[in-house]
Amino acid sequence: MSPCLDIRCTSVYIERMKSPLRAITIAVALVMASGTLAAVTVPVASATTDFYTPPAEFDTSPGAIIKSRPTPIFLQIPADPRPFPGQGTTVMYTSKLQDGTPAAVTGTLIEPFAPWNGNGPRPTIVMAPGTIGQGDQCAPSKLFGLPISLDPAKLSIGANYELLFANFLLYQGYRILMTDYIGLGTPGMHTYVNRVEEGHAVLDGARAALQFAKLPSDSPVGFWGYSQGGGATASAAEMASTYAPELNVKATYSGAPPANLSKVLTVADGTLAMGVIGYAINGLLARYPSTVPLIDEVLNPAGKQAIETLSTSCVADTVLRYGFHHTSEWTTSGQSIAEAALSYPAVQEAIDEQTIGRLKPTAPVLVDTGINDDLVPHGQVIDMVDSWRAKGADVQVINDATPPIFPGLVVNHGLPYLFSTLPAYKFLYDRFNAPS
């Protein structure tokens, strides 16, 4: 039986949820509304060496495990021989920058307590988190023992809201690896919405999870992500056949993917989440040196200070500092960042390289998009879907018809994630249980 992907069916699923899952949904709504061994030179995060600082030399094979350590999971009973919801491990694994340079990435791998009741071996799902910030303290792997943190020195609030969705998947018996992405927790700038690097982090996360669990490279895997994570999983889906052809990708859930960055930056300006524009600028500056003098010319002193502050911020403090401001406050001309920066061909080219939809996913994809999404516009998501379908890809779409609710508050960006959770689970389950 094919999954029901209409928003009316979604409401039926939600009504059938048991009370614990209903509580999770309410909690999420509250949160969202607010190889060979080779020498690799990496920037040093601090004078103190800790887990997140890579060794001077590590295995540069994509997906290789560099190091690992046990990690507690929120609400887990200490010393329980069968930990619920699963046995957590923080891993550091090898991925690649967009130029092919090896990079160390961290993530959290959880072997679930619940059995897998579907066909075949237990599947592995790589979760790509939604926007959580750009500072190292925001890394999801640092927020599994306690999903909320406060850094008084930086006046920064971290929140791992994706833990709630991870638990939902763990209860169904899926093995989970949630990536931190490149540069989040580990040295260097987190390259927010960088198509290639986020796709690499997801695909190499799948390789790392299989290697750590001592499973064959063709074991079943899937991808799950929304917003920033939706872009990362969409990128992974279309890059898998060329970057990681050995992976047995069964399905991808991609919610609200920022497939056309220039359109997203324009819509985000002036919203509660406008600070994410600064994250994107920092990511571009880190990988496209030719844009540095151009952006420096565009920004006024307030803009330069904002960009610097955002590079070490989490999403909660970003919202508190910059919510509902406009990037015209940051520019020398008084134009928006999109208007001023996109007048330079080098910036246009860098942003265009982040476009998703130019390659064909080889496994089925479920795309979720809000018709009235006030952060990641619906139209550019459908453009990506149309491009994939024109190439012969198997793509299903949830068009969430929630009416506008306080536009700019990004409620219409967050709610489709909640409403699509159960249909997305059914989509994945059906794909993992489909005949080979």
Side-chain angles (χ1 to χ4, degrees), residues 333-358:
S333 65
Q335 296 176 295
S336 69
I337 287 284
E339 292 172 323
L342 287 173
S343 64
Y344 296 102
V347 177
Q348 290 179 6
E349 182 179 351
I351 290 179
D352 182 68
E353 287 185 11
Q354 314 318 316
T355 301
I356 306 170
R358 292 171 176 165

Side-chain angles (χ1 to χ4, degrees), residues 128-155:
T131 301
I132 200 167
Q134 199 159 43
D136 286 339
Q137 75 278 13
C138 319
S141 66
K142 297 183 177 183
L143 298 168
F144 266 88
L146 188 65
I148 297 177
S149 69
L150 174 64
D151 186 335
K154 297 179 180 177
L155 297 178

Side-chain angles (χ1 to χ4, degrees), residues 191-375:
T191 46
Y192 184 76
V193 294
N194 181 296
R195 178 183 65 86
V196 171
E197 295 193 0
E198 291 190 346
H200 285 177
V202 171
L203 292 165
D204 291 326
R207 287 166 159 160
L210 298 182
Q211 182 183 128
F212 188 88
K214 296 180 172 57
L215 295 171
S217 61
D218 63 349
S219 299
V221 299
F223 307 134
W224 175 291
Y226 190 87
S227 194
Q228 178 189 4
T233 57
S235 175
E238 68 173 22
M239 292 171 59
S241 63
T242 53
Y243 182 75
E246 81 284 3
L247 290 179
N248 182 14
V249 181
K250 293 292 190 180
T252 296
Y253 166 62
S254 171
N260 185 312
L261 192 53
S262 64
K263 292 182 179 180
V264 174
L265 296 181
T266 299
V267 171
D269 207 342
T271 69
L272 181 69
M274 70 81 67
V276 302
I277 298 172
Y279 298 163
I281 292 171
N282 284 324
L284 290 175
L285 294 175
R287 294 294 179 263
Y288 298 90
S290 63
T291 67
V292 173
L294 305 178
I295 297 298
D296 186 67
E297 185 177 311
V298 165
L299 295 176
N300 61 25
K304 293 174 183 177
Q305 180 59 57
I307 296 304
E308 181 179 354
T309 299
L310 285 163
S311 70
T312 59
S313 297
C314 294
V315 70
D317 34 297
T318 294
V319 164
L320 292 173
R321 287 192 181 105
Y322 299 106
F324 301 113
H325 284 258
H326 292 82
T327 58
S328 57
E329 301 168 28
W330 295 354
T331 63
T332 55
S333 65
Q335 296 176 295
S336 69
I337 287 284
E339 292 172 323
L342 287 173
S343 64
Y344 296 102
V347 177
Q348 290 179 6
E349 182 179 351
I351 290 179
D352 182 68
E353 287 185 11
Q354 314 318 316
T355 301
I356 306 170
R358 292 171 176 165
L359 303 172
K360 175 190 170 183
T362 53
V365 183
L366 173 63
V367 174
D368 175 30
T369 173
I371 293 173
N372 296 303
D373 193 317
D374 49 353
L375 183 63

Side-chain angles (χ1 to χ4, degrees), residues 378-410:
H378 174 71
Q380 55 92 46
V381 177
I382 298 303
D383 288 343
M384 178 194 76
V385 169
D386 289 344
S387 178
W388 277 350
R389 284 176 170 169
K391 296 174 176 59
D394 180 355
V395 187
Q396 298 186 41
V397 181
I398 299 176
N399 287 300
D400 182 292
T402 302
I405 303 172
F406 303 112
L409 196 61
V410 301

